[in-house]
Amino acid sequence: MAKKTESELVIDLRGRSIETLDAFWDAVTGPCGLPEWFGRNTEAWRDTIQTRGVSEVIDSYDVLVVHVDKHGIFAARNRESRALRSTFAGRQSRLVVHEPC
């Protein structure tokens, strides 16, 4: 029996300065097809990437993969950073944090 190949939506944000959650929302809104009414908070993001039903773009793929540099919010160890990272805990999403070169 053939295995189904999962389709991936890959969003590569390496090289972008993402210092805040607002900067992250700005960076993913277009490529992920987020609607104007998207909540721009980690709870809304978790619903979008795990529960689905918010973005037709994300929903058309099995897995969302976001690549970022370990810089700004992705290097921080504060509550906002942990909350954002934890949203990628499901099977339908993956955050790949790259060490600086």
Side-chain angles (χ1 to χ4, degrees):
M1 177 190 288
K3 285 187 176 181
K4 178 184 181 251
T5 303
E6 289 188 335
S7 61
E8 292 184 346
L9 172 59
V10 178
I11 308 296
D12 193 343
L13 302 177
R14 290 176 286 185
R16 293 189 66 161
S17 178
I18 302 176
E19 300 291 330
T20 64
L21 279 175
D22 280 336
F24 178 75
W25 306 135
D26 291 343
V28 298
T29 293
C32 290
L34 298 177
E36 288 184 24
W37 51 265
F38 174 72
R40 294 177 65 96
N41 61 65
T42 54
E43 291 82 13
W45 181 244
R46 177 177 281 113
D47 288 345
T48 301
I49 64 177
Q50 291 182 11
T51 307
R52 306 290 177 112
V54 174
S55 164
E56 290 182 17
V57 173
I58 292 174
D59 293 353
S60 65
Y61 292 87
D62 296 315
V63 179
L64 169 67
V65 181
V66 178
H67 292 267
V68 296
D69 290 325
K70 187 174 183 180
H71 179 75
I73 195 165
F74 296 103
R77 296 188 181 266
N78 58 32
R79 184 172 43 165
E80 276 187 343
S81 174
R82 285 191 305 272
L84 180 56
R85 286 173 182 253
S86 73
T87 62
F88 289 90
R91 292 182 313 205
Q92 295 177 306
S93 61
R94 203 164 51 245
L95 177 66
V96 182
V97 180
H98 296 267
E99 292 290 333
C101 296

